[in-house]
Amino acid sequence: MWVRTRAVVTGFVVLVLIAVIGIVLGLRQVGEQLRLPFAGRACTVQADGEVTLDSQQMANAATIAAIGAQRKMPERAVVVALATAYQESGLRNLAGGDRDSVGLFQQRPSQGWGTPEQIGDPRYASRKFYAALKKVRGWEDMRVTDAAQKVQRSAFPEAYEKWADESEVLTRALLGDATTAVTCTVGGDPALRGAAAIAKLAEGLTLDWGLSDFVESPVGLTTSADGERAGWRYAHWMVSHAKEHGVKRVTFDGREWTAKRGTWKRLPEQDRSDSQVFAEVHADV
């Protein structure tokens, strides 16, 4: 009797351990698949919904959206691109992945997407994705996951759909359909300061948006906006890239965002500018 009871207890303990190990491995697998850590989410996007990201994810999302706009792709294309990058990399520019996959969209050099160095450039990767999507007949009328799958050929064709809502929120904000929609809190020492930060900011706006009309000053950079929607596109992009570009403050349409406060506030009427987007960078020490 004692032997039988002991065997039953031992068997129960083993089953419990197996269950616990299964749960841990399952959670780890989910975490690795999503690659969206809960810690360090410094940015919040609110545009008929809410999304929280860290600064790296936010910058990548802003670049994906900007490249889509520069290529004159419909907003729906940006939603598809963001949902794809969400699923494939967690909006991170990964150095590797499954087999020879690289970058935001986990594109493969062996499948003709480009060299690893090219695919590792978020702008190049985004352009290649949009070019491939544009060739898909009728993609505009497809579900997000079906359009993405036509490009990606994933073993999990339904996986992209779970990011559709988040991607729509990001698209509305990053394409200027919502005002003061992107807020990021940026702490610590800035990555760049002074002239280096201004140069990097100008380069980013040129590469992502195709802009060239800048007015540089000792403290920052100003660009003109053709209307409120365009202005919020650029303003939200500046906030999204604030950490890597050393941006301290952004102003547009009578609103001001600061890295320290992390939110937008209304400026006095005399400081209002309806057509100029200004980014102040951290000064040289």
Side-chain angles (χ1 to χ4, degrees), residues 79-106:
V79 174
V80 175
L82 287 170
T84 302
Y86 248 123
Q87 172 60 26
E88 296 290 352
S89 68
L91 290 173
R92 299 189 185 284
N93 191 27
L94 302 179
D98 179 45
R99 288 170 285 187
D100 59 338
S101 299
V102 178
L104 285 171
F105 299 92
Q106 289 291 276

PDB file of all heavy atoms in Angstrom, residues 79-106:
ATOM      1  N   VAL A  79      -0.896  50.049 -43.401  1.00  0.00           N
ATOM      2  CA  VAL A  79      -1.448  49.128 -42.402  1.00  0.00           C
ATOM      3  C   VAL A  79      -0.901  47.720 -42.627  1.00  0.00           C
ATOM      4  O   VAL A  79      -0.458  47.043 -41.687  1.00  0.00           O
ATOM      5  CB  VAL A  79      -2.989  49.110 -42.461  1.00  0.00           C
ATOM      6  CG1 VAL A  79      -3.538  48.039 -41.516  1.00  0.00           C
ATOM      7  CG2 VAL A  79      -3.558  50.475 -42.090  1.00  0.00           C
ATOM      8  N   VAL A  80      -0.901  47.268 -43.869  1.00  0.00           N
ATOM      9  CA  VAL A  80      -0.402  45.925 -44.192  1.00  0.00           C
ATOM     10  C   VAL A  80       1.084  45.815 -43.867  1.00  0.00           C
ATOM     11  O   VAL A  80       1.538  44.813 -43.286  1.00  0.00           O
ATOM     12  CB  VAL A  80      -0.659  45.591 -45.678  1.00  0.00           C
ATOM     13  CG1 VAL A  80      -0.020  44.249 -46.046  1.00  0.00           C
ATOM     14  CG2 VAL A  80      -2.151  45.562 -45.976  1.00  0.00           C
ATOM     15  N   ALA A  81       1.856  46.835 -44.227  1.00  0.00           N
ATOM     16  CA  ALA A  81       3.291  46.808 -43.975  1.00  0.00           C
ATOM     17  C   ALA A  81       3.587  46.767 -42.476  1.00  0.00           C
ATOM     18  O   ALA A  81       4.454  45.997 -42.019  1.00  0.00           O
ATOM     19  CB  ALA A  81       3.957  48.022 -44.609  1.00  0.00           C
ATOM     20  N   LEU A  82       2.894  47.572 -41.706  1.00  0.00           N
ATOM     21  CA  LEU A  82       3.121  47.595 -40.260  1.00  0.00           C
ATOM     22  C   LEU A  82       2.714  46.279 -39.612  1.00  0.00           C
ATOM     23  O   LEU A  82       3.411  45.757 -38.738  1.00  0.00           O
ATOM     24  CB  LEU A  82       2.359  48.758 -39.627  1.00  0.00           C
ATOM     25  CG  LEU A  82       2.931  50.154 -39.891  1.00  0.00           C
ATOM     26  CD1 LEU A  82       1.954  51.231 -39.432  1.00  0.00           C
ATOM     27  CD2 LEU A  82       4.277  50.340 -39.196  1.00  0.00           C
ATOM     28  N   ALA A  83       1.587  45.715 -40.032  1.00  0.00           N
ATOM     29  CA  ALA A  83       1.151  44.426 -39.481  1.00  0.00           C
ATOM     30  C   ALA A  83       2.162  43.334 -39.795  1.00  0.00           C
ATOM     31  O   ALA A  83       2.436  42.454 -38.963  1.00  0.00           O
ATOM     32  CB  ALA A  83      -0.220  44.060 -40.037  1.00  0.00           C
ATOM     33  N   THR A  84       2.743  43.406 -40.983  1.00  0.00           N
ATOM     34  CA  THR A  84       3.751  42.414 -41.374  1.00  0.00           C
ATOM     35  C   THR A  84       4.998  42.540 -40.515  1.00  0.00           C
ATOM     36  O   THR A  84       5.527  41.541 -40.009  1.00  0.00           O
ATOM     37  CB  THR A  84       4.111  42.594 -42.855  1.00  0.00           C
ATOM     38  OG1 THR A  84       2.928  42.466 -43.651  1.00  0.00           O
ATOM     39  CG2 THR A  84       5.123  41.544 -43.292  1.00  0.00           C
ATOM     40  N   ALA A  85       5.475  43.762 -40.338  1.00  0.00           N
ATOM     41  CA  ALA A  85       6.669  43.970 -39.518  1.00  0.00           C
ATOM     42  C   ALA A  85       6.414  43.640 -38.052  1.00  0.00           C
ATOM     43  O   ALA A  85       7.295  43.132 -37.348  1.00  0.00           O
ATOM     44  CB  ALA A  85       7.156  45.414 -39.658  1.00  0.00           C
ATOM     45  N   TYR A  86       5.203  43.922 -37.576  1.00  0.00           N
ATOM     46  CA  TYR A  86       4.816  43.530 -36.212  1.00  0.00           C
ATOM     47  C   TYR A  86       5.013  42.026 -36.021  1.00  0.00           C
ATOM     48  O   TYR A  86       5.625  41.567 -35.054  1.00  0.00           O
ATOM     49  CB  TYR A  86       3.339  43.841 -35.992  1.00  0.00           C
ATOM     50  CG  TYR A  86       3.021  44.943 -35.013  1.00  0.00           C
ATOM     51  CD1 TYR A  86       2.252  46.041 -35.416  1.00  0.00           C
ATOM     52  CD2 TYR A  86       3.428  44.881 -33.690  1.00  0.00           C
ATOM     53  CE1 TYR A  86       1.911  47.052 -34.524  1.00  0.00           C
ATOM     54  CE2 TYR A  86       3.086  45.879 -32.792  1.00  0.00           C
ATOM     55  CZ  TYR A  86       2.333  46.959 -33.209  1.00  0.00           C
ATOM     56  OH  TYR A  86       1.997  47.942 -32.324  1.00  0.00           O
ATOM     57  N   GLN A  87       4.470  41.252 -36.956  1.00  0.00           N
ATOM     58  CA  GLN A  87       4.511  39.801 -36.825  1.00  0.00           C
ATOM     59  C   GLN A  87       5.913  39.236 -37.059  1.00  0.00           C
ATOM     60  O   GLN A  87       6.368  38.350 -36.342  1.00  0.00           O
ATOM     61  CB  GLN A  87       3.528  39.162 -37.804  1.00  0.00           C
ATOM     62  CG  GLN A  87       3.609  37.644 -37.891  1.00  0.00           C
ATOM     63  CD  GLN A  87       3.328  36.953 -36.567  1.00  0.00           C
ATOM     64  OE1 GLN A  87       2.634  37.495 -35.720  1.00  0.00           O
ATOM     65  NE2 GLN A  87       3.871  35.752 -36.399  1.00  0.00           N
ATOM     66  N   GLU A  88       6.587  39.736 -38.068  1.00  0.00           N
ATOM     67  CA  GLU A  88       7.866  39.148 -38.464  1.00  0.00           C
ATOM     68  C   GLU A  88       9.007  39.491 -37.514  1.00  0.00           C
ATOM     69  O   GLU A  88       9.882  38.665 -37.256  1.00  0.00           O
ATOM     70  CB  GLU A  88       8.228  39.597 -39.883  1.00  0.00           C
ATOM     71  CG  GLU A  88       7.273  39.122 -40.968  1.00  0.00           C
ATOM     72  CD  GLU A  88       7.362  37.617 -41.213  1.00  0.00           C
ATOM     73  OE1 GLU A  88       8.258  36.971 -40.649  1.00  0.00           O
ATOM     74  OE2 GLU A  88       6.516  37.100 -41.968  1.00  0.00           O
ATOM     75  N   SER A  89       9.012  40.701 -36.985  1.00  0.00           N
ATOM     76  CA  SER A  89      10.166  41.122 -36.182  1.00  0.00           C
ATOM     77  C   SER A  89       9.801  41.849 -34.899  1.00  0.00           C
ATOM     78  O   SER A  89      10.694  42.247 -34.151  1.00  0.00           O
ATOM     79  CB  SER A  89      11.058  42.053 -37.016  1.00  0.00           C
ATOM     80  OG  SER A  89      10.385  43.286 -37.267  1.00  0.00           O
ATOM     81  N   GLY A  90       8.504  42.046 -34.636  1.00  0.00           N
ATOM     82  CA  GLY A  90       8.142  42.873 -33.492  1.00  0.00           C
ATOM     83  C   GLY A  90       8.552  44.317 -33.687  1.00  0.00           C
ATOM     84  O   GLY A  90       8.844  45.039 -32.736  1.00  0.00           O
ATOM     85  N   LEU A  91       8.582  44.763 -34.968  1.00  0.00           N
ATOM     86  CA  LEU A  91       9.001  46.132 -35.315  1.00  0.00           C
ATOM     87  C   LEU A  91      10.433  46.404 -34.895  1.00  0.00           C
ATOM     88  O   LEU A  91      10.788  47.525 -34.526  1.00  0.00           O
ATOM     89  CB  LEU A  91       8.054  47.179 -34.715  1.00  0.00           C
ATOM     90  CG  LEU A  91       6.660  47.240 -35.324  1.00  0.00           C
ATOM     91  CD1 LEU A  91       5.763  48.187 -34.527  1.00  0.00           C
ATOM     92  CD2 LEU A  91       6.717  47.700 -36.787  1.00  0.00           C
ATOM     93  N   ARG A  92      11.272  45.370 -34.971  1.00  0.00           N
ATOM     94  CA  ARG A  92      12.693  45.513 -34.651  1.00  0.00           C
ATOM     95  C   ARG A  92      13.527  45.121 -35.872  1.00  0.00           C
ATOM     96  O   ARG A  92      13.190  44.180 -36.587  1.00  0.00           O
ATOM     97  CB  ARG A  92      13.077  44.648 -33.456  1.00  0.00           C
ATOM     98  CG  ARG A  92      12.327  45.023 -32.190  1.00  0.00           C
ATOM     99  CD  ARG A  92      12.883  44.293 -30.977  1.00  0.00           C
ATOM    100  NE  ARG A  92      12.079  44.575 -29.798  1.00  0.00           N
ATOM    101  CZ  ARG A  92      12.123  45.706 -29.103  1.00  0.00           C
ATOM    102  NH1 ARG A  92      12.938  46.672 -29.490  1.00  0.00           N
ATOM    103  NH2 ARG A  92      11.353  45.890 -28.054  1.00  0.00           N
ATOM    104  N   ASN A  93      14.607  45.819 -36.066  1.00  0.00           N
ATOM    105  CA  ASN A  93      15.481  45.548 -37.205  1.00  0.00           C
ATOM    106  C   ASN A  93      16.460  44.441 -36.812  1.00  0.00           C
ATOM    107  O   ASN A  93      17.596  44.696 -36.420  1.00  0.00           O
ATOM    108  CB  ASN A  93      16.224  46.825 -37.611  1.00  0.00           C
ATOM    109  CG  ASN A  93      16.921  46.671 -38.937  1.00  0.00           C
ATOM    110  OD1 ASN A  93      16.511  45.877 -39.784  1.00  0.00           O
ATOM    111  ND2 ASN A  93      17.991  47.427 -39.139  1.00  0.00           N
ATOM    112  N   LEU A  94      16.005  43.201 -36.932  1.00  0.00           N
ATOM    113  CA  LEU A  94      16.757  42.050 -36.446  1.00  0.00           C
ATOM    114  C   LEU A  94      17.918  41.705 -37.379  1.00  0.00           C
ATOM    115  O   LEU A  94      17.785  41.729 -38.605  1.00  0.00           O
ATOM    116  CB  LEU A  94      15.834  40.838 -36.311  1.00  0.00           C
ATOM    117  CG  LEU A  94      14.621  41.014 -35.379  1.00  0.00           C
ATOM    118  CD1 LEU A  94      13.787  39.741 -35.375  1.00  0.00           C
ATOM    119  CD2 LEU A  94      15.078  41.362 -33.971  1.00  0.00           C
ATOM    120  N   ALA A  95      19.043  41.337 -36.784  1.00  0.00           N
ATOM    121  CA  ALA A  95      20.226  40.966 -37.565  1.00  0.00           C
ATOM    122  C   ALA A  95      20.097  39.575 -38.176  1.00  0.00           C
ATOM    123  O   ALA A  95      20.822  39.229 -39.107  1.00  0.00           O
ATOM    124  CB  ALA A  95      21.476  41.015 -36.673  1.00  0.00           C
ATOM    125  N   GLY A  96      19.174  38.750 -37.661  1.00  0.00           N
ATOM    126  CA  GLY A  96      18.988  37.402 -38.177  1.00  0.00           C
ATOM    127  C   GLY A  96      17.590  36.920 -37.901  1.00  0.00           C
ATOM    128  O   GLY A  96      16.721  37.680 -37.476  1.00  0.00           O
ATOM    129  N   GLY A  97      17.371  35.631 -38.159  1.00  0.00           N
ATOM    130  CA  GLY A  97      16.048  35.054 -37.948  1.00  0.00           C
ATOM    131  C   GLY A  97      16.013  33.647 -38.484  1.00  0.00           C
ATOM    132  O   GLY A  97      17.034  32.957 -38.511  1.00  0.00           O
ATOM    133  N   ASP A  98      14.859  33.217 -38.935  1.00  0.00           N
ATOM    134  CA  ASP A  98      14.710  31.880 -39.494  1.00  0.00           C
ATOM    135  C   ASP A  98      15.534  31.746 -40.768  1.00  0.00           C
ATOM    136  O   ASP A  98      15.387  32.546 -41.692  1.00  0.00           O
ATOM    137  CB  ASP A  98      13.234  31.612 -39.783  1.00  0.00           C
ATOM    138  CG  ASP A  98      13.015  30.246 -40.401  1.00  0.00           C
ATOM    139  OD1 ASP A  98      13.600  29.274 -39.905  1.00  0.00           O
ATOM    140  OD2 ASP A  98      12.266  30.164 -41.394  1.00  0.00           O
ATOM    141  N   ARG A  99      16.423  30.753 -40.794  1.00  0.00           N
ATOM    142  CA  ARG A  99      17.325  30.545 -41.917  1.00  0.00           C
ATOM    143  C   ARG A  99      18.110  31.833 -42.205  1.00  0.00           C
ATOM    144  O   ARG A  99      18.806  32.318 -41.330  1.00  0.00           O
ATOM    145  CB  ARG A  99      16.550  30.021 -43.131  1.00  0.00           C
ATOM    146  CG  ARG A  99      16.103  28.570 -42.958  1.00  0.00           C
ATOM    147  CD  ARG A  99      15.154  28.087 -44.013  1.00  0.00           C
ATOM    148  NE  ARG A  99      13.814  28.612 -43.825  1.00  0.00           N
ATOM    149  CZ  ARG A  99      12.765  28.238 -44.533  1.00  0.00           C
ATOM    150  NH1 ARG A  99      12.911  27.328 -45.508  1.00  0.00           N
ATOM    151  NH2 ARG A  99      11.571  28.746 -44.296  1.00  0.00           N
ATOM    152  N   ASP A 100      17.978  32.423 -43.384  1.00  0.00           N
ATOM    153  CA  ASP A 100      18.775  33.618 -43.686  1.00  0.00           C
ATOM    154  C   ASP A 100      17.945  34.895 -43.622  1.00  0.00           C
ATOM    155  O   ASP A 100      18.308  35.915 -44.212  1.00  0.00           O
ATOM    156  CB  ASP A 100      19.442  33.492 -45.059  1.00  0.00           C
ATOM    157  CG  ASP A 100      18.430  33.294 -46.201  1.00  0.00           C
ATOM    158  OD1 ASP A 100      17.302  32.843 -45.919  1.00  0.00           O
ATOM    159  OD2 ASP A 100      18.770  33.592 -47.360  1.00  0.00           O
ATOM    160  N   SER A 101      16.838  34.870 -42.886  1.00  0.00           N
ATOM    161  CA  SER A 101      15.964  36.045 -42.786  1.00  0.00           C
ATOM    162  C   SER A 101      16.656  37.190 -42.053  1.00  0.00           C
ATOM    163  O   SER A 101      17.391  36.978 -41.096  1.00  0.00           O
ATOM    164  CB  SER A 101      14.671  35.681 -42.048  1.00  0.00           C
ATOM    165  OG  SER A 101      13.967  34.682 -42.736  1.00  0.00           O
ATOM    166  N   VAL A 102      16.383  38.407 -42.497  1.00  0.00           N
ATOM    167  CA  VAL A 102      17.019  39.599 -41.937  1.00  0.00           C
ATOM    168  C   VAL A 102      16.000  40.730 -41.857  1.00  0.00           C
ATOM    169  O   VAL A 102      15.103  40.839 -42.693  1.00  0.00           O
ATOM    170  CB  VAL A 102      18.210  40.054 -42.824  1.00  0.00           C
ATOM    171  CG1 VAL A 102      18.847  41.335 -42.272  1.00  0.00           C
ATOM    172  CG2 VAL A 102      19.263  38.963 -42.930  1.00  0.00           C
ATOM    173  N   GLY A 103      16.149  41.577 -40.827  1.00  0.00           N
ATOM    174  CA  GLY A 103      15.485  42.868 -40.814  1.00  0.00           C
ATOM    175  C   GLY A 103      14.054  42.913 -40.332  1.00  0.00           C
ATOM    176  O   GLY A 103      13.531  41.968 -39.742  1.00  0.00           O
ATOM    177  N   LEU A 104      13.425  44.043 -40.577  1.00  0.00           N
ATOM    178  CA  LEU A 104      12.075  44.319 -40.110  1.00  0.00           C
ATOM    179  C   LEU A 104      11.053  43.333 -40.648  1.00  0.00           C
ATOM    180  O   LEU A 104      10.128  42.924 -39.941  1.00  0.00           O
ATOM    181  CB  LEU A 104      11.658  45.735 -40.534  1.00  0.00           C
ATOM    182  CG  LEU A 104      12.264  46.917 -39.780  1.00  0.00           C
ATOM    183  CD1 LEU A 104      11.901  48.214 -40.473  1.00  0.00           C
ATOM    184  CD2 LEU A 104      11.793  46.932 -38.346  1.00  0.00           C
ATOM    185  N   PHE A 105      11.197  42.966 -41.904  1.00  0.00           N
ATOM    186  CA  PHE A 105      10.222  42.085 -42.548  1.00  0.00           C
ATOM    187  C   PHE A 105      10.738  40.654 -42.673  1.00  0.00           C
ATOM    188  O   PHE A 105      10.087  39.819 -43.283  1.00  0.00           O
ATOM    189  CB  PHE A 105       9.852  42.638 -43.926  1.00  0.00           C
ATOM    190  CG  PHE A 105       9.224  44.006 -43.889  1.00  0.00           C
ATOM    191  CD1 PHE A 105       9.997  45.150 -44.005  1.00  0.00           C
ATOM    192  CD2 PHE A 105       7.855  44.146 -43.722  1.00  0.00           C
ATOM    193  CE1 PHE A 105       9.419  46.410 -43.965  1.00  0.00           C
ATOM    194  CE2 PHE A 105       7.267  45.406 -43.676  1.00  0.00           C
ATOM    195  CZ  PHE A 105       8.059  46.546 -43.792  1.00  0.00           C
ATOM    196  N   GLN A 106      11.906  40.404 -42.096  1.00  0.00           N
ATOM    197  CA  GLN A 106      12.524  39.074 -42.168  1.00  0.00           C
ATOM    198  C   GLN A 106      12.588  38.576 -43.621  1.00  0.00           C
ATOM    199  O   GLN A 106      12.237  37.446 -43.944  1.00  0.00           O
ATOM    200  CB  GLN A 106      11.779  38.093 -41.278  1.00  0.00           C
ATOM    201  CG  GLN A 106      11.975  38.344 -39.786  1.00  0.00           C
ATOM    202  CD  GLN A 106      13.402  38.040 -39.334  1.00  0.00           C
ATOM    203  OE1 GLN A 106      13.755  36.906 -39.055  1.00  0.00           O
ATOM    204  NE2 GLN A 106      14.246  39.074 -39.270  1.00  0.00           N
TER     205      GLN A 106
END
